[in-house]
Amino acid sequence: DIVLTQSPGTLSLSPGERATLSCRASQSITTNNLAWYQQKPGQAPRLLIHAASRRATGIPDRFSGSGSATDFTLTISRLEPEDFAVYFCQQYHDSVRTFGQGTKVEVK
Amino acid sequence: QVQLQESGPGLVTPSQTLSLTCSVSGASFTSSAYYWTWVRQRPGKGLEWIGYIFHNGQTNYNPSLRSRITISVDASKNEFSLKMTSVTAADAAMYYCARENHSLRPLGPLDPWGQGILVTVSS
């Protein structure tokens, strides 16, 4: 199985700051079949980014994804109050889908 | 608008079978572009992919759970189901159903998700 390791575990930032979240894969995801999800307390995850860099419908352009092979990044250019949440990466390259353990973005 | 809704008992006795159903509305359930998926999240933990089913019954399971799970489909009702046998406290979690959407590329992400159903394992 492909293991996804997210870092940092927690990111403490202020509104308006830039957030950079990392997702590293144990094997190369040659198809770039990697997604990012946002989860707020008491809610289901919501798709933000798919195919490593494509924003899902309705997602603000302050969210961007980049990377390839084993290193992927989610960037939030300017944090809005509603962006403080947990973010998960997921690969759908391998037949066994896997998720990263999550990065919590909290208010500093 | 596509909607998924989980249903089933919120309390399961240890060693018994967990049975959940996901009802799908607003989407063509038999489309070749979708895999119907179960994911779970233990309290305070990350997400664990359980498996998926295609509308024709083809399945793909997480190897760590394969011996205990069955995902089935009733296309006539736009529903798919999860059965997990011999549950223990470690199976207590929020269970989500979701659609793996392949409409834009050969493989795709999970979108949308159901709201989830909390399953407790206790006698």
Side-chain angles (χ1 to χ4, degrees), chain B residues 47-113:
Chain B
L47 299 163
E48 181 179 21
W49 179 79
I50 297 172
Y52 66 61
I53 190 165
F54 195 48
H55 70 86
N56 64 1
Q58 173 191 345
T59 56
N60 182 23
Y61 297 152
N62 188 323
S64 69
L65 297 169
R66 183 176 290 137
S67 64
R68 297 195 294 126
I69 63 172
T70 302
I71 300 177
S72 59
V73 64
D74 187 339
S76 68
K77 294 183 178 179
N78 279 17
E79 292 179 349
F80 62 107
S81 300
L82 169 69
K83 289 191 187 301
M84 180 181 293
T85 61
S86 304
V87 300
T88 69
D91 296 311
M94 183 72 80
Y95 284 77
Y96 296 101
C97 58
R99 181 184 69 173
E100 189 175 288
N101 186 358
H102 305 172
S103 60
L104 298 178
R105 283 160 59 93
L107 294 175
L110 295 169
D111 181 49
W113 297 57

Side-chain angles (χ1 to χ4, degrees), chain A residues 20-71:
Chain A
T20 303
L21 288 67
S22 172
C23 178
R24 180 161 292 178
S26 62
Q27 304 170 36
S28 182
I29 301 174
T30 56
T31 56
N32 278 357
N33 283 342
L34 184 118
W36 290 92
Y37 303 88
Q38 176 193 68
Q39 186 177 35
K40 297 179 180 179
Q43 296 184 16
R46 176 178 71 141
L47 176 67
L48 298 176
I49 301 287
H50 67 101
S53 61
R54 302 186 182 187
R55 268 189 303 277
T57 302
I59 300 303
D61 61 7
R62 65 180 181 272
F63 291 92
S64 63
S66 62
S68 63
T70 60
D71 288 292

